[in-house]
Amino acid sequence: MQEKFISGVHNYCDRWCERCPFTARCIVYANEQELSEEAKDPTNPAFWENIKKSFEDMLDMLNKTMAELGIEPEEEDKQTKPDTALAAREEHIRKQSMLYATNVEHFFKQNTDIFQQKENELTEQIEEGQPVDIEHLQFFQDAVEVIRWYQFFIPAKTDRAANGLGDRDDPRQGDANGSAKIAMIALERSLGAWEVVRKHLPEKQNEIEELQHQLQHLRTDLADLFPNWRVFHRPGFDDEPEKTMRLDFNLN
Ligand code: SF4
Protein backbone atom coordinates (compact mmCIF):
# COMPACT_ATOMS: atom_id res chain seq x y z
CA MET A 1 0.00 0.00 0.00
CA GLN A 2 1.25 3.54 -0.79
CA GLU A 3 2.50 5.53 2.25
CA LYS A 4 0.28 8.51 2.93
CA PHE A 5 3.16 10.99 3.35
CA ILE A 6 6.11 11.32 0.99
CA SER A 7 9.23 11.36 3.11
CA GLY A 8 11.05 14.71 2.80
CA VAL A 9 8.72 16.19 0.16
CA HIS A 10 8.68 19.49 2.10
CA ASN A 11 12.47 19.79 2.28
CA TYR A 12 13.03 21.08 -1.24
CA CYS A 13 9.65 22.57 -2.14
CA ASP A 14 8.94 26.26 -2.64
CA ARG A 15 6.59 26.53 0.40
CA TRP A 16 3.78 27.74 -1.86
CA CYS A 17 1.29 25.34 -0.29
CA GLU A 18 -1.76 26.86 -1.93
CA ARG A 19 -0.35 25.89 -5.33
CA CYS A 20 1.22 22.60 -4.31
CA PRO A 21 -0.03 19.28 -5.72
CA PHE A 22 1.34 17.43 -2.67
CA THR A 23 -0.67 18.93 0.20
CA ALA A 24 -2.41 15.59 0.82
CA ARG A 25 0.96 13.84 1.01
CA CYS A 26 2.98 16.38 3.01
CA ILE A 27 3.39 16.00 6.77
CA VAL A 28 4.36 19.65 7.23
CA TYR A 29 1.14 20.77 5.57
CA ALA A 30 -0.87 18.28 7.65
CA ASN A 31 0.76 19.50 10.86
CA GLU A 32 0.13 23.12 9.95
CA GLN A 33 -3.56 22.39 9.42
CA GLU A 34 -3.74 21.05 12.96
CA LEU A 35 -2.21 24.16 14.50
CA SER A 36 -4.49 26.37 16.53
CA GLU A 37 -5.14 29.91 15.35
CA GLU A 38 -2.82 31.10 18.17
CA ALA A 39 0.00 28.91 16.87
CA LYS A 40 -0.34 30.48 13.42
CA ASP A 41 -0.12 34.02 14.83
CA PRO A 42 3.48 35.39 15.08
CA THR A 43 2.37 37.82 17.81
CA ASN A 44 1.39 34.87 20.03
CA PRO A 45 3.95 32.94 22.21
CA ALA A 46 2.43 29.65 20.94
CA PHE A 47 3.73 30.48 17.45
CA TRP A 48 7.33 30.80 18.71
CA GLU A 49 6.99 27.71 20.87
CA ASN A 50 6.10 25.77 17.74
CA ILE A 51 9.09 27.22 15.81
CA LYS A 52 11.40 26.30 18.73
CA LYS A 53 10.11 22.73 18.66
CA SER A 54 10.71 22.46 14.89
CA PHE A 55 14.33 23.62 15.37
CA GLU A 56 14.85 21.14 18.20
CA ASP A 57 13.51 18.33 15.99
CA MET A 58 15.85 19.41 13.18
CA LEU A 59 18.82 19.51 15.57
CA ASP A 60 17.96 16.00 16.78
CA MET A 61 17.86 14.75 13.21
CA LEU A 62 21.20 16.41 12.44
CA ASN A 63 22.83 14.89 15.54
CA LYS A 64 21.50 11.44 14.61
CA THR A 65 22.86 11.73 11.06
CA MET A 66 26.26 12.83 12.36
CA ALA A 67 26.28 9.95 14.84
CA GLU A 68 25.48 7.51 12.00
CA LEU A 69 28.40 8.93 10.04
CA GLY A 70 30.63 8.62 13.12
CA ILE A 71 31.27 12.36 13.34
CA GLU A 72 31.52 14.13 16.69
CA PRO A 73 30.26 17.75 16.54
CA GLU A 74 33.59 19.02 17.99
CA GLU A 75 35.52 16.95 15.47
CA GLU A 76 33.46 18.52 12.67
CA ASP A 77 34.43 22.00 13.92
CA LYS A 78 38.13 21.09 14.00
CA GLN A 79 38.02 19.75 10.44
CA THR A 80 36.49 22.92 9.00
CA LYS A 81 39.33 24.94 7.52
CA PRO A 82 38.68 28.44 6.18
CA ASP A 83 38.88 28.64 2.40
CA THR A 84 39.07 32.32 1.51
CA ALA A 85 38.42 31.91 -2.22
CA LEU A 86 35.32 29.88 -1.51
CA ALA A 87 34.21 32.31 1.18
CA ALA A 88 34.51 35.17 -1.31
CA ARG A 89 32.33 33.33 -3.84
CA GLU A 90 29.77 32.54 -1.15
CA GLU A 91 29.69 36.17 -0.11
CA HIS A 92 29.33 37.35 -3.70
CA ILE A 93 26.39 35.09 -4.51
CA ARG A 94 24.65 35.99 -1.27
CA LYS A 95 24.99 39.69 -2.00
CA GLN A 96 23.81 39.29 -5.59
CA SER A 97 20.70 37.37 -4.62
CA MET A 98 19.80 39.88 -1.91
CA LEU A 99 20.45 42.76 -4.28
CA TYR A 100 18.00 41.21 -6.75
CA ALA A 101 15.32 40.94 -4.01
CA THR A 102 15.73 44.55 -2.90
CA ASN A 103 15.72 45.79 -6.51
CA VAL A 104 12.46 43.93 -7.14
CA GLU A 105 11.01 45.57 -4.04
CA HIS A 106 12.11 48.94 -5.35
CA PHE A 107 10.62 48.23 -8.80
CA PHE A 108 7.18 47.44 -7.42
CA LYS A 109 7.26 50.43 -5.06
CA GLN A 110 8.30 52.81 -7.83
CA ASN A 111 5.67 51.47 -10.22
CA THR A 112 2.65 51.17 -7.95
CA ASP A 113 0.89 53.74 -10.12
CA ILE A 114 1.37 51.73 -13.29
CA PHE A 115 -0.09 48.60 -11.72
CA GLN A 116 -2.96 50.66 -10.33
CA GLN A 117 -3.54 52.24 -13.72
CA LYS A 118 -3.71 48.80 -15.34
CA GLU A 119 -6.35 47.80 -12.82
CA ASN A 120 -8.35 50.98 -13.46
CA GLU A 121 -8.22 50.47 -17.22
CA LEU A 122 -9.57 46.99 -16.77
CA THR A 123 -12.40 48.15 -14.50
CA GLU A 124 -13.28 50.78 -17.10
CA GLN A 125 -13.28 48.22 -19.91
CA ILE A 126 -15.60 45.95 -17.93
CA GLU A 127 -17.92 48.82 -17.00
CA GLU A 128 -18.12 49.95 -20.63
CA GLY A 129 -18.94 46.40 -21.72
CA GLN A 130 -15.75 46.11 -23.80
CA PRO A 131 -14.36 42.62 -24.36
CA VAL A 132 -11.67 41.69 -21.81
CA ASP A 133 -9.13 38.95 -22.37
CA ILE A 134 -9.36 37.42 -18.89
CA GLU A 135 -6.93 34.61 -19.62
CA HIS A 136 -4.30 37.07 -20.84
CA LEU A 137 -4.83 39.21 -17.76
CA GLN A 138 -4.67 36.29 -15.37
CA PHE A 139 -1.38 35.26 -16.89
CA PHE A 140 -0.01 38.72 -16.14
CA GLN A 141 -1.31 38.66 -12.56
CA ASP A 142 0.06 35.18 -12.09
CA ALA A 143 3.47 36.30 -13.35
CA VAL A 144 3.52 39.15 -10.81
CA GLU A 145 2.59 36.71 -8.03
CA VAL A 146 5.39 34.36 -9.06
CA ILE A 147 7.95 37.18 -8.99
CA ARG A 148 6.76 38.36 -5.59
CA TRP A 149 6.66 34.86 -4.10
CA TYR A 150 10.18 34.00 -5.14
CA GLN A 151 11.77 37.40 -4.65
CA PHE A 152 13.02 36.64 -1.11
CA PHE A 153 12.83 32.87 -1.46
CA ILE A 154 15.75 33.00 -3.95
CA PRO A 155 18.18 34.71 -1.53
CA ALA A 156 17.02 32.49 1.35
CA LYS A 157 17.74 29.29 -0.58
CA THR A 158 20.90 30.68 -2.18
CA ASP A 159 22.15 31.53 1.30
CA ARG A 160 21.42 28.02 2.53
CA ALA A 161 23.17 26.51 -0.48
CA ALA A 162 26.19 28.81 -0.03
CA ASN A 163 26.38 27.93 3.68
CA GLY A 164 26.77 24.28 2.76
CA LEU A 165 29.42 24.82 0.08
CA GLY A 166 32.40 23.79 2.19
CA ASP A 167 30.56 20.83 3.76
CA ARG A 168 31.54 17.28 3.06
CA ASP A 169 28.01 16.55 1.86
CA ASP A 170 27.32 14.33 -1.10
CA PRO A 171 27.83 16.82 -4.02
CA ARG A 172 24.80 15.38 -5.81
CA GLN A 173 22.26 14.52 -3.11
CA GLY A 174 23.52 16.77 -0.29
CA ASP A 175 21.47 19.56 1.25
CA ALA A 176 23.50 22.36 -0.35
CA ASN A 177 22.90 20.92 -3.82
CA GLY A 178 19.19 20.48 -3.06
CA SER A 179 18.93 24.09 -1.86
CA ALA A 180 20.75 25.23 -5.00
CA LYS A 181 18.26 23.26 -7.11
CA ILE A 182 15.16 24.83 -5.58
CA ALA A 183 16.82 28.28 -5.76
CA MET A 184 17.51 27.62 -9.43
CA ILE A 185 13.92 26.51 -10.10
CA ALA A 186 12.59 29.65 -8.39
CA LEU A 187 15.05 31.74 -10.34
CA GLU A 188 14.08 30.25 -13.71
CA ARG A 189 10.37 30.62 -13.00
CA SER A 190 11.01 34.25 -12.06
CA LEU A 191 12.87 34.83 -15.31
CA GLY A 192 9.91 33.48 -17.28
CA ALA A 193 7.48 35.53 -15.21
CA TRP A 194 9.47 38.72 -15.84
CA GLU A 195 9.23 38.04 -19.56
CA VAL A 196 5.43 38.02 -19.27
CA VAL A 197 5.47 41.28 -17.28
CA ARG A 198 7.89 42.87 -19.75
CA LYS A 199 5.49 42.16 -22.64
CA HIS A 200 2.66 43.81 -20.71
CA LEU A 201 4.70 46.85 -19.71
CA PRO A 202 6.77 47.88 -22.74
CA GLU A 203 7.37 51.30 -21.16
CA LYS A 204 9.29 49.53 -18.36
CA GLN A 205 11.38 47.40 -20.69
CA ASN A 206 14.78 48.76 -19.58
CA GLU A 207 14.18 48.32 -15.86
CA ILE A 208 12.78 44.83 -16.36
CA GLU A 209 15.66 43.80 -18.58
CA GLU A 210 18.07 44.97 -15.88
CA LEU A 211 16.34 42.69 -13.34
CA GLN A 212 16.41 39.83 -15.84
CA HIS A 213 20.14 40.38 -16.33
CA GLN A 214 20.68 40.21 -12.59
CA LEU A 215 18.83 36.92 -12.48
CA GLN A 216 20.79 35.56 -15.42
CA HIS A 217 24.11 36.44 -13.73
CA LEU A 218 22.89 34.82 -10.55
CA ARG A 219 21.91 31.72 -12.49
CA THR A 220 25.39 31.54 -14.05
CA ASP A 221 27.09 31.95 -10.64
CA LEU A 222 24.84 29.38 -8.99
CA ALA A 223 25.39 26.85 -11.78
CA ASP A 224 29.11 27.50 -11.53
CA LEU A 225 29.14 26.76 -7.80
CA PHE A 226 26.68 23.87 -8.05
CA PRO A 227 27.29 22.17 -11.40
CA ASN A 228 25.33 19.12 -10.21
CA TRP A 229 22.18 21.00 -9.22
CA ARG A 230 20.03 19.29 -11.87
CA VAL A 231 20.75 15.78 -10.64
CA PHE A 232 19.53 16.37 -7.10
CA HIS A 233 16.41 14.28 -6.63
CA ARG A 234 13.56 16.10 -4.84
CA PRO A 235 11.21 13.61 -3.21
CA GLY A 236 7.79 13.78 -4.84
CA PHE A 237 8.45 16.68 -7.19
CA ASP A 238 11.08 14.87 -9.22
CA ASP A 239 8.85 11.81 -9.43
CA GLU A 240 6.05 13.92 -10.89
CA PRO A 241 5.26 13.30 -14.58
CA GLU A 242 6.59 16.20 -16.62
CA LYS A 243 3.23 17.24 -18.00
CA THR A 244 1.96 18.17 -14.53
CA MET A 245 4.86 20.49 -13.63
CA ARG A 246 3.54 23.84 -12.47
CA LEU A 247 4.20 27.49 -13.19
CA ASP A 248 6.61 27.10 -16.03
CA PHE A 249 6.46 30.02 -18.42
CA ASN A 250 7.36 29.83 -22.05
CA LEU A 251 10.08 32.36 -22.77
CA ASN A 252 9.35 32.45 -26.52
S1 SF4 B 1 5.57 20.14 -0.08
FE1 SF4 B 1 3.86 21.36 -0.74
S2 SF4 B 1 2.37 21.25 0.91
FE2 SF4 B 1 4.35 20.60 1.74
S3 SF4 B 1 5.24 22.45 2.64
FE3 SF4 B 1 5.97 22.24 0.53
S4 SF4 B 1 4.57 23.48 -0.72
FE4 SF4 B 1 3.57 23.09 1.27
Side-chain angles (χ1 to χ4, degrees), residues 97-123:
S97 61
M98 207 51 220
L99 183 67
Y100 165 74
T102 46
N103 285 347
V104 172
E105 198 59 27
H106 183 70
F107 174 86
F108 280 100
K109 269 202 187 123
Q110 289 291 107
N111 295 302
T112 312
D113 289 354
I114 290 187
F115 286 95
Q116 187 59 52
Q117 192 188 329
K118 270 210 156 274
E119 205 179 307
N120 294 346
E121 277 169 15
L122 176 77
T123 314

Side-chain angles (χ1 to χ4, degrees), residues 1-4 25:
M1 197 180 72
Q2 192 186 38
E3 290 283 337
K4 180 171 183 212
R25 305 201 60 203

Side-chain angles (χ1 to χ4, degrees), residues 62-98:
L62 181 67
N63 286 338
K64 271 184 205 145
T65 309
M66 286 174 80
E68 278 164 22
L69 294 170
I71 302 168
E72 292 295 325
E74 297 77 17
E75 185 190 338
E76 170 77 356
D77 286 345
K78 271 185 247 152
Q79 288 173 0
T80 309
K81 293 196 184 84
D83 178 337
T84 46
L86 194 60
R89 292 171 83 192
E90 283 174 23
E91 189 57 18
H92 174 74
I93 202 164
R94 275 199 194 95
K95 276 192 182 152
Q96 291 309 307
S97 61
M98 207 51 220

Side-chain angles (χ1 to χ4, degrees), residues 9-10 13-17 20 22-23 26 28-29 237:
V9 66
H10 51 278
C13 67
D14 60 10
R15 294 299 306 214
W16 207 343
C17 301
C20 180
F22 291 110
T23 48
C26 173
V28 167
Y29 183 81
F237 293 96

